[in-house]
Amino acid sequence: IARRHCLLSNENGIGTMMQTCRKINHHVLGRLKHDFTQSVRSLHGSNERIVDLRSDTVTQPTAAMLRAATQAATGDDVMGEDPTANALETYAADLFGKESALFVPTGTMGNLCAIMAHCHYNRSAEIILGTKSHINLYEGGGYANVAGVSCKLIEEDEHAMFFMEDVRDAFRVDNDDHYAKSTLICLENTHNMLGGVALPASYIDSIGKLAHEEWKEHGMKVHIDGARILNAAVSQNISPSVLCAGADSVSICLSKGLGTPMGSILVGETEFIRLARRARKRLGGGMRQAGVMASMGMHALLNHVDRLAEDHARAQKLAAELENAGFWLPRGGKVDTNVVFFALPENCKLKKEELPPLLYEKYGVKIAGGYSSGGRLFRLVTHMDVDDDGIDTAIEGITSLCA
């Protein structure tokens, strides 16, 4: 618009043209400033409280995290010179009892780097993976379309475990030209789609023993998608290093229950991390002054782990109240950590599609729906930004609307 007015003004001389352009630009910028100001006022000026239980990824960074970020010592992490990122990696490796670690932007990239590193030297690699796992369902099929790896899917039971005979049946060596070669077993702890189930160390050790002893000559490895692994450790009162001793690698998400804006850590042996670093570069995950974000991750690991027990207690309260009100919950209502799935009571007059918008409109509570076959399940995830009052509001809203 400004350009057209400027061209039409040429006949009145350059001065008139410039004056017209300035007026139009001033008007446009003024309108943009007004709209932006109104948006900010709308966002911060409302007294309405939002209780967001859709995921623990919605947490906001704390003031202490932001202070840590502004004070972080930085360098070029691709060159290995960011002292804060290096310190975070060293701390995480020690926390999980592994030799080395790698800071990556996302959990999906952490899992993909792990798969690419474990399968680096095997062009016909196949991974053994759970049908309900996050890697299989929610990571864009990266193991196939990016890593170029085949997959053998097996069912998990309600406790997120594989039957050992199913794992043995899925295992393949490269002595038959028809088969890809089994290279990696992937576990998920806690298991998202099975309701935050926490795998015990004894089970992880048994999978590790199968891979490292029975199939040692074939070089089998075990990776844990540990997006919420610290929830698993806290819920079982066990150290991360003991919990993950049977695994070769673990990815740990910093931006879920721990509350950071972004970032995950991948831990494992030194050579594995070297290959994972190469994979991170190919995936576009090399970061420069990564210490700004790594400082928040370090703050979270030092200050936000023990408090995960509060999230678990609130999730268990949600589950108990919903079950008492006639809602259906998996595993008889048992909740290990901070994830709760539920279905509407049979006598509920609401359709499943109606609950989320009504709950938000009337109570300011956000929940996620559409899970499981037929989309009958809803998911609630507790986190550091939802307190006891928020839980009470959610319980009141869900039970009242479905009464």
Side-chain angles (χ1 to χ4, degrees):
I1 295 172
R3 183 180 179 189
R4 184 175 69 178
H5 276 271
C6 290
L7 290 174
L8 291 175
S9 300
N10 268 338
E11 63 185 30
N12 297 322
I14 296 297
T16 303
M17 178 183 72
M18 295 302 295
Q19 185 179 17
T20 304
C21 287
R22 281 195 296 270
K23 287 181 178 179
I24 293 171
N25 287 337
H26 178 75
H27 172 75
V28 171
L29 291 173
R31 183 60 182 269
L32 289 173
K33 181 178 179 181
H34 174 268
D35 291 346
F36 176 76
T37 302
Q38 290 299 110
S39 297
V40 172
R41 285 175 179 170
S42 175
L43 180 63
H44 295 289
S46 173
N47 291 323
E48 181 185 3
R49 180 183 181 186
I50 304 300
V51 179
D52 198 338
L53 291 167
R54 292 173 299 170
S55 177
D56 46 6
T57 60
V58 302
T59 52
Q60 296 295 310
T62 64
M65 276 186 184
L66 296 174
R67 282 195 299 272
T70 61
Q71 298 168 7
T74 61
D76 192 316
D77 185 49
V78 173
M79 299 179 183
E81 297 174 356
D82 190 297
T84 306
N86 291 343
L88 173 63
E89 290 168 349
T90 299
Y91 180 82
D94 183 65
L95 181 64
F96 281 83
K98 306 301 181 187
E99 292 179 355
S100 193
L102 180 68
F103 183 47
V104 297
T106 71
T108 293
M109 185 178 288
N111 285 330
L112 191 53
C113 284
I115 291 169
M116 293 171 70
H118 283 304
C119 301
H120 183 83
Y121 296 110
N122 185 0
R123 294 295 297 171
S124 63
E126 184 168 83
I127 61 176
I128 298 173
L129 188 62
T131 58
K132 297 182 180 69
S133 67
H134 196 277
I135 293 176
N136 181 49
L137 295 177
Y138 298 120
E139 298 186 10
Y143 63 83
N145 56 44
V146 178
V149 171
S150 177
C151 178
K152 183 69 172 178
L153 293 173
I154 55 178
E155 289 282 344
E156 308 97 327
D157 65 16
E158 67 173 3
H159 306 295
M161 299 180 184
F162 300 135
F163 292 107
M164 284 299 183
E165 288 309 309
D166 288 344
V167 180
R168 287 190 170 89
D169 287 345
F171 178 73
R172 295 166 172 169
V173 296
D174 58 353
N175 60 0
D176 188 319
D177 295 343
H178 296 90
Y179 296 147
K181 181 180 182 295
S182 297
T183 305
L184 179 67
I185 304 172
C186 295
L187 306 176
E188 186 173 330
N189 197 15
T190 64
H191 199 294
N192 173 41
M193 286 302 294
L194 290 169
V197 176
L199 292 174
S202 58
Y203 173 74
I204 297 171
D205 288 344
S206 67
I207 293 291
K209 183 177 181 180
L210 182 65
H212 303 143
E213 296 182 16
E214 190 168 329
W215 296 331
K216 180 178 180 180
E217 64 180 294
H218 303 291
M220 278 292 286
K221 303 294 183 182
V222 179
H223 171 68
I224 297 177
D225 173 4
R228 297 183 178 93
I229 189 69
L230 290 168
N231 290 87
V234 168
S235 72
Q236 299 175 79
N237 193 28
I238 188 174
S239 72
S241 59
V242 173
L243 179 60
C244 300
D248 298 280
S249 61
V250 187
S251 62
I252 308 105
C253 189
L254 301 172
S255 63
K256 288 189 169 65
L258 296 179
T260 67
M262 62 165 282
S264 284
I265 294 284
L266 182 62
V267 298
E269 294 181 348
T270 300
E271 174 62 10
F272 163 80
I273 291 297
R274 183 187 75 82
L275 295 175
R277 187 179 299 275
R278 290 175 61 83
R280 185 187 72 172
K281 184 64 176 176
R282 298 200 300 277
L283 295 172
M287 297 173 284
R288 299 301 176 178
Q289 285 66 48
V292 173
M293 301 309 300
S295 64
M296 297 197 212
M298 179 66 88
H299 177 86
L301 287 177
L302 293 173
N303 297 281
H304 294 172
V305 174
D306 290 341
R307 65 147 310 281
L308 292 173
E310 300 173 24
D311 299 336
H312 301 167
R314 291 179 178 127
Q316 288 157 5
K317 179 179 180 179
L318 274 170
E321 293 292 338
L322 292 178
E323 187 176 36
N324 289 338
F327 292 81
W328 181 86
L329 282 80
R331 303 176 71 213
K334 182 181 179 184
V335 171
D336 291 349
T337 55
N338 68 323
V339 180
V340 179
F341 281 97
F342 71 92
L344 299 181
E346 291 184 3
N347 61 351
C348 180
K349 296 179 181 179
L350 280 182
K351 296 180 180 179
K352 60 180 182 294
E353 297 83 6
E354 295 174 331
L355 179 60
L358 277 176
L359 189 60
Y360 179 56
E361 177 187 344
K362 295 183 179 297
Y363 292 89
V365 176
K366 294 184 177 183
I367 66 172
Y371 292 93
S372 81
S373 177
R376 64 188 288 260
L377 292 183
F378 299 89
R379 188 183 76 159
L380 309 173
V381 186
T382 56
H383 51 79
M384 62 191 300
D385 286 356
V386 177
D387 59 15
D388 291 333
D389 289 341
I391 296 300
D392 290 340
T393 300
I395 293 169
E396 179 187 354
I398 295 170
T399 55
S400 297
L401 289 172
C402 297

